[in-house]
Amino acid sequence: AQSVAQPEDQVNVAEGNPLTVKCTYSVSGNPYLFWYVQYPNRGLQFLLKYITGDNLVKGSYGFEAEFNKSQTSFHLKKPSALVSDSALYFCAVRDSFYGGATNKLIFGTGTLLAVQP
Amino acid sequence: DAGVIQSPRHEVTEMGQEVTLRCKPISGHDYLFWYRQTMMRGLELLIYFNNNVPIDDSGMPEDRFSAKMPNASFSTLKIQPSEPRDSAVYFCASSDNTGRQPQHFGDGTRLSIL
């Protein structure tokens, strides 16, 4: 069965330091991977995606993610964290079944990023 | 472009009342998804539609929940009768049919059942 794991409930980082939010996945076939961010009282906002091509994907607000097929990971990174990056981050993978694919996404449980000034 | 629009943003009602949540997807999107978010269960997919047809409603918790999509620009999620454990934030999202583009989420309806 398809699944996404975000092993950390919370990540704490000091402003200006690099940040990493971890995500691993399990899916049959080629994965379509997505990162979303959720600010308080808002819906999920799309950050970036990996479909095919370069393993390093750049997205909104200076975020990037590295697709690693051998480790089945898609970690979210940013070279220098801002206090305004504090939010809930979700990793997601497109669902598939019987060798096909759907538009349904399987979401991780979310990681709360706290950036201290 | 307008994003996914949900109404109302907040709803407070008493147990046993009927609740109707509304969603207008992005124009041209073929897929519409209803999610529920709680602290205990996180983000749960309730049901999704393709071209106004329900495809998978396995996440709908009980028969008290129903969803419709009478046309491409409107969907409703109804709870009748409502119970306190239905209190949550309900999100609607839409996407195109390529699978390569992200789902776009509305800002949700915060539902409180007293």
Side-chain angles (χ1 to χ4, degrees), chain A residues 5-97:
Chain A
Q6 294 182 243
E8 301 154 318
D9 290 336
Q10 183 162 337
V11 169
N12 298 306
V13 65
E15 188 174 31
N17 283 0
L19 69 88
T20 298
V21 182
K22 296 179 180 176
C23 172
T24 59
Y25 66 90
S26 174
V27 63
S28 56
N30 294 321
Y32 287 10
L33 295 155
F34 301 83
W35 273 103
Y36 287 82
V37 59
Q38 185 180 27
Y39 298 102
N41 300 315
R42 298 297 303 276
L44 279 67
Q45 296 178 30
F46 168 70
L47 274 180
L48 50 78
K49 65 179 180 180
Y50 172 82
I51 305 298
T52 186
D54 288 341
N55 290 342
L56 186 63
V57 178
K58 294 188 183 297
S60 306
Y61 311 123
F63 283 93
E64 57 189 28
E66 186 170 10
F67 171 66
N68 187 317
K69 188 172 183 178
S70 62
Q71 297 186 4
T72 62
S73 67
F74 189 55
H75 300 333
L76 182 69
K77 301 181 179 184
K78 187 174 182 181
S80 179
L82 299 173
V83 173
S84 56
D85 293 330
S86 298
L88 187 59
Y89 290 81
F90 289 93
C91 181
V93 66
R94 184 182 174 191
D95 195 15
S96 62
F97 66 98

Side-chain angles (χ1 to χ4, degrees), chain B residues 75-112:
Chain B
S75 177
T76 59
L77 178 67
K78 189 171 293 187
I79 308 172
Q80 167 62 20
S82 58
E83 296 183 6
R85 60 195 166 121
D86 301 331
S87 297
V89 182
Y90 290 81
F91 290 104
C92 176
S94 69
S95 71
D96 68 14
N97 62 3
T98 66
R100 292 171 169 261
Q101 299 304 325
Q103 293 180 14
H104 295 262
F105 283 72
D107 279 335
T109 295
R110 183 173 295 276
L111 178 64
S112 297

